[in-house]
Short mmCIF file of all heavy atoms in Angstrom, two decimals:
data_model
loop_
_atom_site.label_atom_id
_atom_site.label_comp_id
_atom_site.label_asym_id
_atom_site.label_seq_id
_atom_site.Cartn_x
_atom_site.Cartn_y
_atom_site.Cartn_z
N TYR S 59 58.79 59.22 74.80
CA TYR S 59 57.73 59.21 75.81
C TYR S 59 56.55 60.11 75.43
O TYR S 59 55.42 59.65 75.33
CB TYR S 59 58.29 59.65 77.15
CG TYR S 59 57.28 59.62 78.29
CD1 TYR S 59 57.06 58.45 79.00
CD2 TYR S 59 56.56 60.76 78.63
CE1 TYR S 59 56.13 58.40 80.04
CE2 TYR S 59 55.62 60.73 79.66
CZ TYR S 59 55.42 59.55 80.36
OH TYR S 59 54.49 59.51 81.37
N PHE S 60 56.80 61.39 75.20
CA PHE S 60 55.69 62.34 75.03
C PHE S 60 54.92 62.12 73.73
O PHE S 60 53.69 62.05 73.74
CB PHE S 60 56.22 63.77 75.11
CG PHE S 60 56.71 64.15 76.48
CD1 PHE S 60 57.99 64.63 76.67
CD2 PHE S 60 55.89 64.02 77.59
CE1 PHE S 60 58.44 64.98 77.93
CE2 PHE S 60 56.33 64.37 78.85
CZ PHE S 60 57.61 64.85 79.03
N ARG S 63 52.75 59.04 73.54
CA ARG S 63 51.60 59.11 74.45
C ARG S 63 50.57 60.14 74.03
O ARG S 63 49.56 60.32 74.71
CB ARG S 63 52.09 59.42 75.86
CG ARG S 63 52.77 58.24 76.54
CD ARG S 63 53.33 58.62 77.90
NE ARG S 63 53.88 57.46 78.58
CZ ARG S 63 53.24 56.73 79.49
NH1 ARG S 63 51.99 57.05 79.82
NH2 ARG S 63 53.80 55.69 80.05
N GLY S 64 50.83 60.83 72.92
CA GLY S 64 49.81 61.72 72.39
C GLY S 64 50.03 63.20 72.58
O GLY S 64 49.07 63.98 72.56
N LEU S 65 51.27 63.64 72.75
CA LEU S 65 51.54 65.07 72.89
C LEU S 65 51.18 65.81 71.61
O LEU S 65 51.58 65.42 70.53
CB LEU S 65 53.02 65.30 73.21
CG LEU S 65 53.47 66.76 73.30
CD1 LEU S 65 52.85 67.42 74.52
CD2 LEU S 65 54.98 66.86 73.33
N LEU S 76 45.26 69.75 76.54
CA LEU S 76 44.93 69.88 77.96
C LEU S 76 44.75 68.51 78.60
O LEU S 76 45.21 68.29 79.73
CB LEU S 76 43.67 70.72 78.12
CG LEU S 76 43.19 70.93 79.56
CD1 LEU S 76 44.26 71.64 80.39
CD2 LEU S 76 41.88 71.71 79.57
N ALA S 77 44.09 67.60 77.88
CA ALA S 77 43.90 66.25 78.42
C ALA S 77 45.25 65.56 78.64
O ALA S 77 45.46 64.87 79.65
CB ALA S 77 43.03 65.44 77.47
N PHE S 78 46.17 65.77 77.69
CA PHE S 78 47.51 65.18 77.83
C PHE S 78 48.22 65.76 79.04
O PHE S 78 48.88 65.05 79.80
CB PHE S 78 48.33 65.45 76.57
CG PHE S 78 49.73 64.90 76.63
CD1 PHE S 78 49.98 63.59 76.25
CD2 PHE S 78 50.78 65.68 77.07
CE1 PHE S 78 51.27 63.07 76.31
CE2 PHE S 78 52.07 65.18 77.13
CZ PHE S 78 52.32 63.87 76.76
N LEU S 79 48.08 67.07 79.25
CA LEU S 79 48.71 67.72 80.40
C LEU S 79 48.19 67.14 81.71
O LEU S 79 48.97 66.83 82.62
CB LEU S 79 48.44 69.22 80.36
CG LEU S 79 48.77 69.99 81.64
CD1 LEU S 79 50.27 69.96 81.92
CD2 LEU S 79 48.27 71.43 81.55
N VAL S 80 46.88 66.98 81.82
CA VAL S 80 46.29 66.47 83.05
C VAL S 80 46.80 65.06 83.36
O VAL S 80 47.08 64.72 84.52
CB VAL S 80 44.75 66.48 82.94
CG1 VAL S 80 44.11 65.77 84.15
CG2 VAL S 80 44.23 67.91 82.84
N GLU S 81 46.98 64.26 82.32
CA GLU S 81 47.42 62.87 82.52
C GLU S 81 48.93 62.75 82.71
O GLU S 81 49.40 61.76 83.29
CB GLU S 81 47.00 62.03 81.31
CG GLU S 81 45.48 61.89 81.16
CD GLU S 81 45.10 61.12 79.90
OE1 GLU S 81 46.04 60.66 79.18
OE2 GLU S 81 43.90 61.01 79.62
N ASN S 82 49.68 63.72 82.24
CA ASN S 82 51.15 63.62 82.28
C ASN S 82 51.78 64.86 82.91
O ASN S 82 52.88 65.26 82.54
CB ASN S 82 51.70 63.44 80.86
CG ASN S 82 51.16 62.20 80.17
OD1 ASN S 82 51.70 61.11 80.31
ND2 ASN S 82 50.10 62.39 79.40
N HIS S 83 51.12 65.43 83.89
CA HIS S 83 51.58 66.69 84.46
C HIS S 83 52.99 66.57 85.06
O HIS S 83 53.86 67.40 84.81
CB HIS S 83 50.59 67.16 85.54
CG HIS S 83 50.99 68.44 86.18
ND1 HIS S 83 50.60 68.80 87.45
CD2 HIS S 83 51.78 69.48 85.74
CE1 HIS S 83 51.10 69.98 87.75
NE2 HIS S 83 51.82 70.41 86.74
N ALA S 84 53.24 65.54 85.84
CA ALA S 84 54.53 65.39 86.52
C ALA S 84 55.67 65.25 85.51
O ALA S 84 56.73 65.87 85.66
CB ALA S 84 54.50 64.19 87.46
N ALA S 85 55.44 64.45 84.47
CA ALA S 85 56.48 64.24 83.46
C ALA S 85 56.78 65.52 82.69
O ALA S 85 57.94 65.87 82.44
CB ALA S 85 56.07 63.13 82.50
N LEU S 86 55.73 66.26 82.32
CA LEU S 86 55.93 67.51 81.60
C LEU S 86 56.65 68.55 82.47
O LEU S 86 57.53 69.26 82.00
CB LEU S 86 54.57 68.08 81.15
CG LEU S 86 54.08 67.68 79.75
CD1 LEU S 86 52.70 68.27 79.51
CD2 LEU S 86 55.05 68.10 78.67
N ALA S 87 56.26 68.61 83.74
CA ALA S 87 56.92 69.55 84.65
C ALA S 87 58.41 69.23 84.77
O ALA S 87 59.26 70.14 84.75
CB ALA S 87 56.25 69.51 86.01
N GLY S 88 58.74 67.96 84.88
CA GLY S 88 60.14 67.56 84.96
C GLY S 88 60.91 67.90 83.69
O GLY S 88 62.07 68.32 83.75
N GLN S 144 51.13 75.17 83.81
CA GLN S 144 50.70 73.77 83.93
C GLN S 144 49.94 73.53 85.23
O GLN S 144 48.87 72.92 85.24
CB GLN S 144 51.91 72.85 83.84
CG GLN S 144 52.55 72.77 82.47
CD GLN S 144 53.88 72.05 82.49
OE1 GLN S 144 54.22 71.36 83.45
NE2 GLN S 144 54.66 72.23 81.43
N VAL S 148 45.91 72.56 85.45
CA VAL S 148 45.49 71.30 86.08
C VAL S 148 44.51 71.57 87.22
O VAL S 148 43.49 70.89 87.37
CB VAL S 148 46.72 70.52 86.59
CG1 VAL S 148 46.29 69.36 87.48
CG2 VAL S 148 47.54 70.02 85.41
#
Side-chain angles (χ1 to χ4, degrees):
Y59 183 86
F60 292 124
R63 286 176 176 264
L65 176 68
L76 179 60
F78 180 87
L79 167 66
V80 172
E81 295 176 3
N82 300 274
H83 180 205
L86 268 177
Q144 290 169 16
V148 169

